Amino acid sequence: MSAITVTVEATIGSTIRRDGVPDAPSDAEQDDARGAAGWPVGKCRVADTLGDDGRPVEALVLMREPAVAGADVRAWPVGVLHLEGPQRAVDEVLCVAEAPCFADLVDVSDLPRWHAEPEVWAVALSRLSRGPAYRVAACGPVREADDLLSAAHHTHLQLTGCLE
């Protein structure tokens, strides 16, 4: 799947960072908002999609810098976080913003090297979301994210009358 556009709802700091990266940013990263702990994560909605619940597909996006609510960000899917809650199961697409610093984070097999295991994403999600806490049931690969987004985009086109 190619890059997608997500609309930011909120961002927080995280502990997601790549192994071997010093605490101090390099000259090329001086303008980045990466703190000593990690890069920001945004809670977003994927443009032009409709999920099973009739709402846009939700995504968590690792970013170079925090974005204000309502900002559109280009991102690449890297996996799907399958969550179970008290009322329903939820799938959140895991993404990285388009930026050279995230070029080696392309699938769930890369998450451990970035200290971005599913539980870390779930902690970020719980800090970003109001309502009941969700438990991580599983984490799917980028192929699964692509399938979910393709189906949700197709549903959006059908319901908006753009698809025959």
Side-chain angles (χ1 to χ4, degrees), residues 76-113:
W76 294 94
V78 297
V80 177
L81 197 61
H82 300 289
L83 304 164
E84 292 179 351
Q87 298 172 357
R88 64 184 180 110
V90 176
D91 291 334
E92 293 264 347
V93 178
L94 302 179
C95 299
V96 294
E98 282 187 329
C101 56
F102 301 130
D104 68 334
L105 182 50
V106 297
D107 203 341
V108 294
S109 61
D110 300 319
L111 295 181
R113 188 175 66 251

Side-chain angles (χ1 to χ4, degrees), residues 49-70:
T49 62
L50 286 175
D52 293 339
D53 59 0
R55 299 183 316 184
V57 171
E58 295 182 355
L60 292 172
V61 181
L62 187 63
M63 299 184 206
R64 266 183 95 215
E65 54 192 45
V68 297

Side-chain angles (χ1 to χ4, degrees), residues 2-25:
S2 56
I4 58 174
T5 300
V6 296
T7 303
V8 175
E9 293 181 349
T11 59
I12 58 162
S14 80
T15 58
I16 299 173
R17 69 197 186 298
R18 188 177 60 217
D19 280 340
V21 176
D23 287 341

Side-chain angles (χ1 to χ4, degrees), residues 66-164:
V68 297
D72 287 338
V73 174
R74 296 287 291 165
W76 294 94
V78 297
V80 177
L81 197 61
H82 300 289
L83 304 164
E84 292 179 351
Q87 298 172 357
R88 64 184 180 110
V90 176
D91 291 334
E92 293 264 347
V93 178
L94 302 179
C95 299
V96 294
E98 282 187 329
C101 56
F102 301 130
D104 68 334
L105 182 50
V106 297
D107 203 341
V108 294
S109 61
D110 300 319
L111 295 181
R113 188 175 66 251
W114 275 81
H115 301 279
E117 290 83 0
E119 295 75 22
V120 175
W121 289 98
V123 168
L125 178 62
S126 69
R127 291 178 49 211
L128 285 162
S129 300
R130 290 180 235 147
Y134 286 92
R135 180 184 73 72
V136 176
C139 187
V142 68
R143 180 189 83 261
E144 196 173 320
D146 291 345
D147 291 347
L148 185 151
L149 290 168
S150 179
H153 182 70
H154 184 78
T155 300
H156 176 269
L157 291 176
Q158 281 182 318
L159 293 177
T160 58
C162 296
L163 192 66
E164 295 177 4

